[in-house]
Each structure stands twice: as structure tokens, then as C-alpha cells.
């Protein structure tokens, strides 16, 4: 399986944030924001935004003289001893904050497909309904054409509602033309009464996405919520990348 890698806004934010973190980590006694700007080549405005996010996430701390040092969250994620537990807790904290700020249920998912992969606890096995969900379309959209074809050859595109796409030609065409910066939407394609949106959060060779769902009566909020989800994806991607 190969990835169709097209950088998105969260990806760029994560790359910039990692550059800031690496610079802070090299200065164990602290580094000022003006020096960070010079060393990273980031504009003061861009750096201020990133430092605000990194402080909120606990990856950097500002000491008494105003300099920045690495924070407790970064130290814990960098520890091999309890990294998995630390990552789960960090992701859950970030997802909870996104859920509350957006006002929607929020999910994170990875593309892992094979005979040993357990079914997701949904009314239809997720592997068989990727064509019908925003989350699934976002994951498929990050595969190359052959990867998508391979998935569809092994999972029949069942009609789950009257809105479900069941034509592989139509689905592949839509995936090919979907801009990487635009969230994938599911307008009652998976379940009647529910609308969803998803954005990619690929880290390295791992295909993942962040998604939200809303009841149909809140469909008027979907695009705004999706844009907010996209803006809030960088901290999640950053946690996976560290």
C-alpha cells in the first residue's frame, strides 16, 4: 500500500511545531522567542501562534525570564517506558477539548486492514463501509489509486442508506478530485439521521484521520464544525509525530 501524500494545513503546522520543539530541546537552559524566530526562520506572528499551541498542549513552558523550555508533556511522550499510555492520555485530552469546543462527537482512526484486524464496534463492520463514511473516505483518500482499488476489491460497497455511493467508479472519481485541504463529508450515507466530516492526520507511513458526527438537525453546523476540526487537527498530529 502506498500513500498519496499531499500536505495539508495541519501537516504544515505540525512540521513547523516540530521545528520549534527541536530548537527548544537543544537549548536546555531556555531560549527566547526572538532567538527562536531567528533559528527557525518563522515569522514572529507564526511563531507566536505555534508557541501558544505548544504551551496549551504542555510541550513547552515559559520560565521566569520569559525563555522557553521543554514541557512535561513532551518529556513524558519522549519516555520509552510509558509512551503508549502517555500518548493515549494526551490524545484523549486533546479530543475532549475538541469535542467541547466544536460541540460534536469527535473520533480518531487509522487505516489498518487485514485478516487479523478486528471489526470496529459499529452496526456495519467499518472495513465494509469505508465508502459510506467521511472517516472512511478520508482514509481511502490518503491511499494511492492502487491502494484504493485493492481495498474496494476486498470489500463490497453495500448500500446502507438511499444516499450511499455504491459505484466504485464514482467513489474513485470523487476521491481523486477531492482537494486535500477540504474535509470529507458524509450526509446520511452511513446512517439516516447522522452527518459526519473527516480530515486527514497522516503521520509518517500511518494513515489516519480525525472525524466528527452530528445529528441531522445540526447539519447546518457541519461545514463550520469541519473547518474547526481541521484547524484543531495539528495538536493531534503533533502528538502522533513526537
Amino acid at each position: 500500500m502506498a500513500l498519496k501524500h499531499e500536505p495539508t494545513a495541519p501537516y504544515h503546522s505540525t512540521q513547523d511545531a516540530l521545528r520549534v520543539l527541536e530548537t527548544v530541546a537543544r537549548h536546555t537552559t531556555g531560549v527566547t522567542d526572538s532567538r527562536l524566530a531567528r533559528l527557525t526562520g518563522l515569522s514572529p506572528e507564526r511563531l507566536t501562534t505555534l508557541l501558544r499551541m505548544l504551551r496549551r498542549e504542555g510541550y513547552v513552558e515559559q520560565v521566569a525570564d520569559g525563555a522557553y523550555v521543554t514541557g512535561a508533556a513532551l518529556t513524558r511522550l519522549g519516555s520509552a517506558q510509558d509512551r503508549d499510555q502517555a500518548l493515549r492520555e494526551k490524545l484523549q485530552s486533546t479530543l475532549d477539548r475538541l469535542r467541547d469546543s466544536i460541540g460534536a462527537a469527535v473520533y480518531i482512526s487509522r487505516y489498518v486492514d487485514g485478516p487479523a484486524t478486528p471489526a470496529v464496534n459499529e452496526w456495519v463492520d467499518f472495513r465494509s463501509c469505508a465508502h459510506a463514511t467521511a472517516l472512511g473516505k478520508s482514509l481511502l483518500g490518503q491511499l494511492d489509486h492502487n491502494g484504493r482499488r485493492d481495498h474496494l476489491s476486498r470489500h463490497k460497497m453495500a448500500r446502507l442508506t438511499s444516499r450511499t455511493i455504491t459505484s466504485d467508479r464514482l467513489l474513485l472519481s470523487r476521491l481523486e478530485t477531492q482537494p486535500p485541504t477540504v474535509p470529507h463529508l458524509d450526509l446520511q450515507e452511513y446512517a439516516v439521521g447522522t452527518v459526519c466530516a473527516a480530515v486527514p492526520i497522516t503521520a509518517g507511513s500511518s494513515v489516519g484521520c480525525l472525524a466528527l458526527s452530528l445529528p441531522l438537525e445540526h447539519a447546518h453546523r457541519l461545514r463550520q464544525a469541519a473547518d474547526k476540526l481541521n484547524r484543531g487537527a495539528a495538536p493531534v498530529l503533533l502528538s502522533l509525530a513526537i
Side-chain angles (χ1 to χ4, degrees), residues 106-178:
V106 177
Y107 315 86
I108 187 171
S109 181
R110 292 188 307 143
Y111 185 91
V112 180
D113 193 17
T117 307
V120 179
N121 185 24
E122 295 182 342
W123 76 279
V124 177
D125 184 338
F126 175 76
R127 292 167 295 178
S128 299
C129 68
H131 64 288
T133 65
L135 186 151
K137 285 184 283 187
S138 180
L139 294 175
L140 290 176
Q142 295 174 69
L143 306 182
D144 65 8
H145 183 77
N146 290 335
R148 296 167 188 166
R149 279 274 185 202
D150 176 66
H151 178 94
L152 296 176
S153 71
R154 291 181 286 109
H155 302 290
K156 184 179 178 181
M157 295 173 61
R159 184 175 297 281
L160 306 179
T161 76
S162 62
R163 293 175 176 266
T164 305
I165 296 174
T166 55
S167 164
D168 59 350
R169 180 177 298 179
L170 177 57
L171 178 65
L172 289 170
S173 174
R174 291 191 178 181
L175 291 175
E176 288 288 349
T177 57
Q178 174 85 4

Side-chain angles (χ1 to χ4, degrees), residues 5 25 52 58 66 76-78 88-89 99 107 109 123 126-127 134 140 151 163-164 175 177 184 194 224 231 235-236:
H5 183 67
R52 186 182 303 120
R76 191 172 178 206
L77 276 180
R88 284 193 295 270
E89 292 176 0
R99 175 200 62 203
Y107 315 86
S109 181
W123 76 279
F126 175 76
R127 292 167 295 178
L140 290 176
H151 178 94
R163 293 175 176 266
T164 305
L175 291 175
T177 57
H184 286 267
T194 301
Q224 183 180 19
R231 292 194 300 271
V236 177

Side-chain angles (χ1 to χ4, degrees), residues 205-218:
S205 61
S206 176
V207 174
C209 74
L210 197 60
L212 63 83
S213 65
L214 289 166
L216 183 60
E217 56 266 30
H218 289 187

